[in-house]
Amino acid sequence: RRASKPLIWLGACVMAAAGAGKKPLFEYDDHYVMLNDVGRNDFYRRALARAVPACGADCTVLDVGAGSGLLSMMAANLGAKHVVAIEANPNLASLAERTIEANQPANFPQSNVTVIPELSSAVSPGRLPGGRPADILVTETFGTMLLGEGAANFVPDSRDRLLKREGGVVIP
């Protein structure tokens, strides 16, 4: 399956990011568990598989709290022309950039995936492709019950400012 390729290379990036004598990037984090949660990943893949084709040829997907970039790569693999991955943690944003770069040629060569290493609240709509709001907002920031990652604040803000008002889709 094409879906397994990003995960394989992502595992190699995690090990490389850890380096000699350092703690692994995901040692104290939920990301490792989420990356290996087949049911969770299948849910997001199915949801994106319904939303992205219905979005049209110039579809823009916004992945808020992108972490490792897995959902961004799924959206690109499913045909989104533009994907913007916003990740405030600079280490995770760097990991996402490397993972996306390594997977793009084989898995989503026609998509443009951009990682923005900032808080979503600092990103203006003008920085999105074409300077227009995104068609789809995807986020997986609910693992800490909305509070630990601040999703109760930044998901509504991203929806209101960065997603198109008419017909915009939020996943989940």
Side-chain angles (χ1 to χ4, degrees), residues 55 58-63 82-84 86 123-137 157-169:
C55 181
D58 199 33
C59 185
T60 299
V61 175
L62 181 65
D63 181 3
H82 306 285
V83 180
V84 178
I86 300 177
V123 177
S124 69
R127 291 181 61 192
L128 299 180
R132 65 177 183 83
D135 301 291
I136 299 170
L137 168 67
D157 173 68
S158 296
R159 179 201 62 217
D160 294 346
R161 291 184 320 100
L162 304 174
L163 183 67
K164 70 181 187 180
R165 295 192 189 280
E166 294 287 325
V169 175

Side-chain angles (χ1 to χ4, degrees), residues 15 18 93 110:
M15 294 303 142
Q110 304 303 315

Side-chain angles (χ1 to χ4, degrees), residues 5-15 35 68 70 95 99 103:
K5 289 181 183 179
L7 282 176
I8 292 169
W9 202 87
L10 185 58
C13 274
V14 170
M15 294 303 142
L35 288 170
S68 62
L70 180 63
L95 175 63
T99 305
N103 283 280

Side-chain angles (χ1 to χ4, degrees), residues 106-161:
N107 294 300
F108 41 94
Q110 304 303 315
S111 292
N112 179 24
V113 183
T114 304
V115 177
I116 299 178
E118 296 179 30
L119 290 169
S120 58
S121 59
V123 177
S124 69
R127 291 181 61 192
L128 299 180
R132 65 177 183 83
D135 301 291
I136 299 170
L137 168 67
V138 64
T139 186
E140 206 311 56
T141 49
F142 303 109
T144 55
M145 314 240 347
L146 294 177
L147 302 174
E149 296 186 46
N153 295 321
F154 71 76
V155 171
D157 173 68
S158 296
R159 179 201 62 217
D160 294 346
R161 291 184 320 100

